[in-house]
Amino acid sequence: MNRTWWSRVAAAVLFVSFATVLTACGEQSAGAGASGEHGADEAESERGPQNGRLLRSGDFAVEITIFETGVPPEFHVYAYKGGKPVAPSTVALTVMLKRLGGKTDTVTFKPDKDYLVSSGPVAEPHSFDVEVAAVHAGKQHKWSFESYEGRTAFSNKAAAQAGVTIEKAGPATIKETIELLGHLELAPGAKAELRARFPGKILSVTKNVGDKVRSGEMLARIESNESLQSYAITAPFDGVVLERAANVGDVTGDGVLFSVGNPSKLMADYHVFDRDAGRVKAGQAVRVVPVHGTAAAGAKIATVAPVKDPVTQTIVARVMFEDSSGSLLPGMSVKGEVVVAQTPVPLAVKTAALQRFRDFEVVFAKFGETYEVRMLEIGRRTVEWTEVLGGIDPGQAYVAGNSFLIKADIEKSGASHDH
């Protein structure tokens, strides 16, 4: 294990420990005032006949529920007087939902059967400060309470130590890719076979297989049989000795004495099957990745063969590129992530930021040192970006890296979705 890995683990433990301290101290964390239920003190609030939150004012009361079976979430509010149901047509009701970020939803109601129903759906998340105003028989009644879900709080310092990173939702380019399989070889011109110019005896050898060489550097010295003059075999370019067939005392003929190659100049040949043949074209961007490993190099397709390989019955797409890292080597099996289409979208988030929360794919929006779930309507998706059709505002900060830590703390607190 490396030091960076251990430091991240320690920071994550610190992150969770910080949440525990906040909860124990009664601060507004996921476990206190941010439980994910409709009201941080939902468990202690009085419940009505419909198992909703019961709000009393003298002998008048309203019971607030959210109904979402087979319909978008909507408020159903029941009114009582002296413990008995009141006709919903005799009650004027308004509910104000104050959300993080300063947004306020004003909800009006209309009578429906034996309850009042909200005039529109209640947008997710169902996490807000609630103000309720009701008028019945000429008398006004008011209540307020907290109803939070999927919310927690951490200091910026603790989040940074745990590796939590923040991005802003905004425009991105969705790149549609297909994956090809192939192998690496030295690029044409990146390998040279060196022979003796004149037959003779090898006097000295200065390089072995694997040795790095510079252009013009001597590899061996040979004494010509005819002139008895010695001459040097030199490297034609910077590279590495790949093969050596020269030994002191040998007499040269026309055989190869050394092979020298530049392993940073590579060629990848990818096999394109019929289903993708019409989509892969010269000039397209491709990411070269080992089948086993994480190293990668960016390049472009140089050529697409006009005929099929008779053995594999595929078309060969060739990629030429340079890689000086030494992580990609001739002979490797590699994947090629080819970008076949690019579509700009007005709103996207990092795919790595996505988590599951209830039945939704979500990100966690950041407001100061408070984090809250945002249920997303998802469009196109790639490894890097996911298009967002709704659920988060452009420019909203969200957790892009290590978002699982936020989710874990919310789940640790026993967050639920209780109506």
Side-chain angles (χ1 to χ4, degrees), residues 175-182 268-270 280-289 296-303 317-321 328 334-340 342:
K175 298 179 180 179
E176 183 185 354
T177 63
I178 58 174
E179 186 173 276
L180 305 176
L181 291 176
D269 278 350
Y270 289 107
V280 177
K281 297 178 175 59
Q284 289 174 329
V286 58
R287 187 168 174 263
V288 182
V289 186
K300 290 187 177 182
I301 295 177
T303 61
R318 177 162 291 179
V319 176
M320 313 288 289
F321 67 100
L328 297 171
V334 288
K335 296 179 290 185
E337 298 168 358
V338 182
V339 179
V340 295
Q342 300 189 64

Side-chain angles (χ1 to χ4, degrees), residues 89-103:
S89 60
T90 64
V91 179
L93 184 69
T94 302
V95 172
M96 305 282 285
L97 307 175
K98 296 184 177 181
R99 301 178 181 269
L100 284 176
K103 183 179 180 180

Side-chain angles (χ1 to χ4, degrees), residues 3-18:
R3 184 174 297 176
T4 301
W5 187 87
W6 278 112
S7 64
R8 282 296 173 88
V9 170
V13 172
L14 175 63
F15 188 81
V16 175
S17 299
F18 182 77

